[in-house]
């Protein structure tokens, strides 16, 4: 197994919370305005349960099938847990996403809007929605391009109104993330979207300096993922 012990997960969470606090203070921000999404993809329900025991309540998963398997009973047993979907959602998985997610961070194409609206009506439960923006314009990555934001965000507003709450982005691995984070923040501001989901294990402190309201941290909490997960784990067809 690749899971770290309960104690180590607790220590890692404590370190990250301290780093988030310090990064917020340094940036002149209220630490309470930054929430930690513990990205548990490829880690077991036991590892997730360890994090819960150390008071972690927000989790992120990027595959619906895996999220459903691990979180259906965890959510029933722990009603205060919130799950964020942070990976691309195929149309036939939208119903399942609506059933389990508090937030879907990956609204990334016009063709998912009507099926998503129908799923929300059918299930009678409405996750908050973030728009994924591909600031690096990487062909293998999901998300709208920045120049499509005007059109796409107004389309989203028409369909969902105030359910549209934020933006999410993943900068290209080899770029300095700062300009990408700033671009995402300025798009969020322009549309009065309060939530900004940016920053991962290696750059969450930079993201906080830029204005993150959610940081998505996996490896720095749960350890390395198994090798087979590394390829394409943030890509379109994951
Ligand atoms: C896996 C993943 C993360 C977490 O990445 P780490 O480098 O392990 O912190 C964050 N965001 C998305 C969209 C991911 O797929």
């Amino acid at each position: 197994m690749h899971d770290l012990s309960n104690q180590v997960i607790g220590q890692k969470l404590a370190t990250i919370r301290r780093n988030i606090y310090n990064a917020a203070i340094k940036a002149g921000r209220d630490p309470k305005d930054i929430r930690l999404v513990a990205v548990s993809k490829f880690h077991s329900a036991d590892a997730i349960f360890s994090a819960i025991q150390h008071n972690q309540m927000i989790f992120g998963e990027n595959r619906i099938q895996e999220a459903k398997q691990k979180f259906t009973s965890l959510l029933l047993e722990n009603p205060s847990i919130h799950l964020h979907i942070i990976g691309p959602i195929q149309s036939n998985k939208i119903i399942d996403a609506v059933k389990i997610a508090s937030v879907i961070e990956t609204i990334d194409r016009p063709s998912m809007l009507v099926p998503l609206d129908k799923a929300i009506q059918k299930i009678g439960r409405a996750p908050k929605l973030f728009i994924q923006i591909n600031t690096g314009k990487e062909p293998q990555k999901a998300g709208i391009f920045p120049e499509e934001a005007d059109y796409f965000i107004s389309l989203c507003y028409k369909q969902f109104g105030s359910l549209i709450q934020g933006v999410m982005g993943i900068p290209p691995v080899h770029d300095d993330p700062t300009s990408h984070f700033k671009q995402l923040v300025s798009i969020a501001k322009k549309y009065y979207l309060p939530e900004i989901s940016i920053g991962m294990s290696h750059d969450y402190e930079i993201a906080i300096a830029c204005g993150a309201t959610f940081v998505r941290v996996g490896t720095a909490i749960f350890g390395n993922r198994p090798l087979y997960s590394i390829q394409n784990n943030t890509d379109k067809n994951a």
Side-chain angles (χ1 to χ4, degrees):
M1 282 305 293
H2 297 267
D3 289 339
L4 301 177
S5 71
N6 183 304
Q7 190 191 5
V8 171
I9 288 174
Q11 285 162 353
K12 286 180 177 286
L13 275 170
T15 301
I16 290 160
R17 287 173 186 145
R18 193 165 56 238
N19 292 345
I20 290 174
Y21 183 92
N22 290 337
I25 297 296
K26 200 171 158 193
R29 302 184 55 198
D30 183 343
K32 286 199 225 50
D33 291 341
I34 297 125
R35 281 140 304 158
L36 172 63
V37 179
V39 177
S40 49
K41 66 189 183 199
F42 286 94
H43 292 283
S44 70
D46 284 347
I48 295 165
F49 194 62
S50 295
I52 294 170
Q53 288 177 314
H54 293 281
N55 266 325
Q56 179 60 34
M57 294 297 153
I58 310 175
F59 293 88
E61 287 280 343
N62 73 339
R63 288 174 175 76
I64 303 298
Q65 196 63 28
E66 180 184 346
K68 197 174 141 186
Q69 278 164 9
K70 293 192 308 201
F71 276 89
T72 304
S73 62
L74 277 172
L75 288 167
L76 283 172
E77 290 154 16
N78 307 275
S80 45
I81 287 182
H82 295 282
L83 179 64
H84 288 214
I85 297 299
I86 59 170
I89 308 176
Q90 290 164 14
S91 295
N92 62 356
K93 303 263 171 63
I94 288 176
I95 287 257
D96 286 330
V98 168
K99 282 183 187 160
I100 55 178
S102 291
V103 179
I104 296 176
E105 297 201 9
T106 47
I107 305 303
D108 61 3
R109 59 189 189 275
S111 66
M112 78 188 286
L113 302 184
V114 171
L116 179 59
D117 204 3
K118 283 189 177 148
I120 288 171
Q121 305 303 330
K122 185 169 171 200
I123 309 296
R125 169 176 204 284
K128 289 176 181 159
L129 307 173
F130 297 177
I131 292 161
Q132 183 176 359
I133 303 173
N134 185 355
T135 53
K137 297 195 179 187
E138 295 173 283
Q140 82 281 12
K141 238 173 224 165
I144 58 156
F145 290 171
E147 65 266 27
E148 299 168 328
D150 271 337
Y151 168 71
F152 187 64
I153 294 175
S154 67
L155 211 58
C156 289
Y157 266 124
K158 263 184 218 141
Q159 197 91 42
F160 298 107
S162 62
L163 284 182
I164 306 294
Q165 287 275 309
V167 299
M168 178 271 214
I170 313 162
V173 243
H174 300 296
D175 279 15
D176 176 347
T178 305
S179 65
H180 295 278
F181 290 161
K182 286 189 171 158
Q183 193 177 8
L184 285 154
V185 170
S186 81
I187 293 171
K189 290 231 165 85
K190 182 171 175 196
Y191 299 97
Y192 303 100
L193 298 170
E195 306 294 358
I196 298 153
S197 173
I198 49 175
M200 313 190 353
S201 290
H202 59 285
D203 58 12
Y204 66 93
E205 287 155 301
I206 301 170
I208 290 166
C210 293
T213 65
F214 285 100
V215 292
R216 309 178 307 268
V217 178
T219 313
I221 298 171
F222 294 109
N224 288 322
R225 292 178 285 273
L227 214 53
Y228 58 81
S229 73
I230 287 171
Q231 194 189 11
N232 293 335
N233 71 22
T234 56
D235 289 355
K236 252 182 191 163
N237 303 309

